[in-house]
Amino acid sequence: MTAWLRAAFIVLVAACREAPVGPCPSPRVAGSAAEQAAPVVRRSPFDSAFASAGAEFHVPPALLKAIGWVETRWEMVQGAEEFAGRAPAFGVMALRGAALGRGAARAGVTPEATRRDPLANIRAAAALLDAFADEAAIDRSRNEQWSGVIARYSEIERPDGRAAYGREVDRALGGLPPQLARAPAPAPTACLPPPPPGSGGAPDYPPGVWRASPNFNARPSDSTGRVHVLIIHTCESNYTGCWSWLVNPASQASVHYVVSEDGNEISQLVHESDRAWHIAATYDCTLNRRHDCWLNGVQSNDFTVGIEHAGFASQGSFPASQLEASATLACDVTRDRGIPRDWQHIVGHGQLQPATRTDPGPNWPWIAYVHRVQALCGETVVDDSAPFNDPALAAAAVPAAWTASDTTPDYYGGGYRWASTQPDATDVASFSFRLAAPASRAVDARWTSGTNRSPHAAYAVISSAGDTLALVRVDQTTGGGRWRALGTWTFPAGWNRVVLLRRGTAGSVVVADAVRVRQ
């Protein structure tokens, strides 16, 4: 494996000497240990399988390992369909469709074993690469000649997509430093300078790369075309394979954004104002806590923005860097489009299309993700339900005498609590939020709709020092399911509180749903 890396670098240097048209990549010599070490030189759970399959089929083990990293980050995935017409991918090497069948047959293993057993999967991939190398009649001792084989393995039709895939394999091998690995460039190991970058970034998200897809149309001009839901997807493939497919007219699919595995790049494919084709389902409010039932039967693409994430619904976890990049993007989209940052408006593909989709899968960290989107947009939300709070920043204390319910659909988080008003009632619902330093913050409250709500519900705003900063009365008979501003105050550091009192004239109820603190 070390010899392969050394040989790859020698070939790179030699190629540049033969055609000195630009600087040749050099080995990494600075940065953290993780930055200096290409993925291929790290240990993986499948090192012995890469070594044995490589030896058996005369494929460099490091190349097998690099392709496995690019495809699945060395996860034994059980793929699912995400885009119609594109077969699910399986195993460490993300084999799919006819390629899986051909590799399995050449390796002498069954397709089912190739889907389920890591060794069989890696052997099938090595056998497939062996076949491609034979058919291309390459000199296997010359590492640059593997470029065409790598491109064919990717199953990407677009030349720029094939080149990008090759650069990712080079990056995994350590053949290119990060700044060149991310830039547009010719085929891998060609040592040519990248073309100048395009002017500006993506139209709606400047940090992104604009890769326009032809697969879109206009949103409806009526209220059903107003963007107010963000849908989270997984590509069921690697990043380059994902965007390459979605900009292909043959796919008849698209999405607004694609986030790479490590979050170092985001592609925008469709303007947010346009209708991307990312979910094949009409809206059913019973799948979304009975939210916005007036949209029932409307095609969900009409009013949604979609974010695809390189990866698989079956993977065990998602990289922190990818989640951070995605949350930053989601903050931008929700802020620009006025999308509420809650669990009725940031939803999974599988939630709205459960018959045929499961993405982003059971291991997408929903609560932490939405909290991060909120934090990046300067919000902290305190819900009456503890599982929906970030305990480092938010906590609620609601007496047991207050009834927990979710019968009114416009609640935030996990439901809401209510209690009847009484003239001598002393128990309160308390929503606490922590500030690291003194700050001025706006405070909003939320309740659910209903005609029996109190027209004079009282919220006390209390500092961490125990001082009552204000007593604000609101009419809970109106404005249900939306944030209602209570006011802006300067709070000291520590745990400040907003408490909802139930003291009042008998005959109505007060609803404790959530409190939001924002910059």
Side-chain angles (χ1 to χ4, degrees):
M1 189 174 299
T2 302
W4 158 257
L5 284 170
R6 186 180 302 111
F9 181 67
I10 291 171
V11 168
L12 281 167
V13 174
C16 279
R17 287 174 177 165
E18 293 169 6
V21 294
C24 199
S26 58
R28 300 176 187 184
V29 295
S32 68
E35 290 171 337
Q36 291 184 44
V40 78
V41 299
R42 303 176 198 161
R43 291 186 60 84
S44 86
F46 309 107
D47 282 352
S48 61
F50 291 130
S52 62
E56 180 181 1
F57 293 101
H58 312 291
V59 176
L63 179 60
L64 279 174
K65 189 173 181 179
I67 291 174
W69 173 261
V70 170
E71 291 285 354
T72 69
R73 295 308 195 254
W74 302 326
E75 288 230 17
M76 187 65 190
V77 301
Q78 298 299 307
E81 182 182 85
E82 171 65 357
F83 310 118
R86 198 169 193 225
F90 292 91
V92 179
M93 306 301 290
L95 290 167
R96 66 177 84 229
L100 184 150
R102 184 182 183 189
R106 190 176 176 98
V109 294
T110 66
E112 182 60 21
T114 302
R115 295 185 186 97
R116 305 293 175 184
D117 177 67
L119 179 58
N121 184 267
I122 293 169
R123 288 186 65 245
L128 188 66
L129 289 163
D130 179 41
F132 293 165
D134 280 350
E135 290 165 8
I138 70 169
D139 179 352
R140 299 189 189 211
S141 67
R142 294 183 61 83
N143 294 295
E144 74 277 8
Q145 292 198 15
W146 285 94
S147 296
V149 175
I150 294 168
R152 186 176 176 186
Y153 186 93
S154 75
E155 298 188 335
I156 296 172
E157 295 179 8
R158 291 174 57 98
D160 58 344
R162 285 188 168 208
Y165 183 90
R167 289 195 301 275
E168 288 303 308
V169 174
D170 269 342
R171 184 182 177 191
L173 285 166
L176 291 178
Q179 65 270 25
L180 294 183
R182 290 182 57 189
T189 68
C191 286
L192 297 174
S199 59
D204 295 310
Y205 190 63
V209 177
W210 176 236
R211 294 184 166 105
S213 172
N215 306 325
F216 70 93
N217 64 315
R219 296 186 187 275
S221 58
D222 61 13
S223 59
T224 63
R226 180 180 64 83
V227 177
H228 76 288
V229 171
L230 182 62
I231 298 182
I232 303 299
H233 304 254
T234 51
C235 292
E236 298 300 308
S237 74
N238 66 80
Y239 173 62
T240 305
C242 188
W243 65 254
S244 295
W245 179 247
L246 294 176
V247 299
N248 187 336
S251 73
Q252 288 296 286
S254 63
V255 75
H256 294 92
Y257 295 99
V258 184
V259 182
S260 69
E261 290 89 346
D262 56 11
N264 72 327
E265 186 174 287
I266 294 174
S267 292
Q268 182 175 3
L269 312 184
V270 176
H271 288 88
E272 292 174 15
S273 58
D274 288 325
R275 180 181 182 273
W277 306 340
H278 59 106
I279 175 170
T282 57
Y283 186 70
D284 177 356
C285 71
T286 64
L287 301 173
N288 194 20
R289 301 176 181 173
R290 302 188 305 283
H291 169 72
D292 275 355
C293 290
W294 64 277
L295 284 169
N296 278 353
V298 174
Q299 216 292 326
S300 295
N301 287 321
D302 290 357
F303 55 88
T304 60
V305 166
I307 302 177
E308 287 279 0
H309 297 79
F312 301 83
S314 66
Q315 67 190 50
S317 62
F318 291 84
S321 56
Q322 183 184 45
L323 293 169
E324 181 70 10
S326 175
T328 303
L329 170 63
C331 169
D332 186 83
V333 173
T334 57
R335 182 174 52 214
D336 290 351
R337 299 293 159 185
I339 300 173
R341 288 173 279 274
D342 59 37
W343 287 270
Q344 289 82 25
H345 296 87
I346 303 176
V347 301
H349 185 187
Q351 179 181 333
L352 298 188
Q353 193 179 338
T356 57
R357 298 292 185 272
T358 61
D359 61 310
N363 295 315
W364 183 265
W366 277 112
I367 291 179
Y369 178 76
V370 174
H371 285 160
R372 186 59 183 153
V373 176
Q374 292 169 342
L376 288 165
C377 277
E379 296 179 352
T380 298
V381 179
V382 190
D383 189 49
D384 70 295
S385 302
F388 287 84
N389 289 327
D390 178 349
L393 299 174
V398 184
W402 292 52
T403 302
S405 180
D406 61 0
T407 56
T408 303
D410 53 6
Y411 59 86
Y412 178 92
Y416 58 95
R417 310 290 183 93
W418 64 269
S420 300
T421 53
Q422 298 291 337
D424 57 351
T426 58
D427 54 335
V428 299
S430 180
F431 297 85
S432 300
F433 57 95
R434 182 181 179 277
L435 295 177
S440 176
R441 292 289 185 267
V443 179
D444 309 316
R446 182 166 169 157
W447 52 89
T448 57
S449 303
T451 57
N452 65 341
R453 306 317 193 228
S454 170
H456 304 292
Y459 287 88
V461 182
I462 304 171
S463 75
S464 60
D467 300 322
T468 299
L469 303 180
L471 183 67
V472 182
R473 294 194 179 273
V474 299
D475 181 1
Q476 287 196 347
T477 65
T478 64
R482 300 192 301 272
W483 292 110
R484 166 73 178 271
L486 299 183
T488 300
W489 296 273
T490 297
F491 294 96
W495 285 94
N496 300 276
R497 292 181 294 150
V498 177
V499 299
L500 174 59
L501 288 66
R502 61 180 291 201
R503 181 183 302 162
T505 304
S508 60
V509 303
V510 291
V511 175
D513 188 11
V515 165
R516 180 175 67 179
V517 182
R518 54 189 170 86
Q519 296 178 7

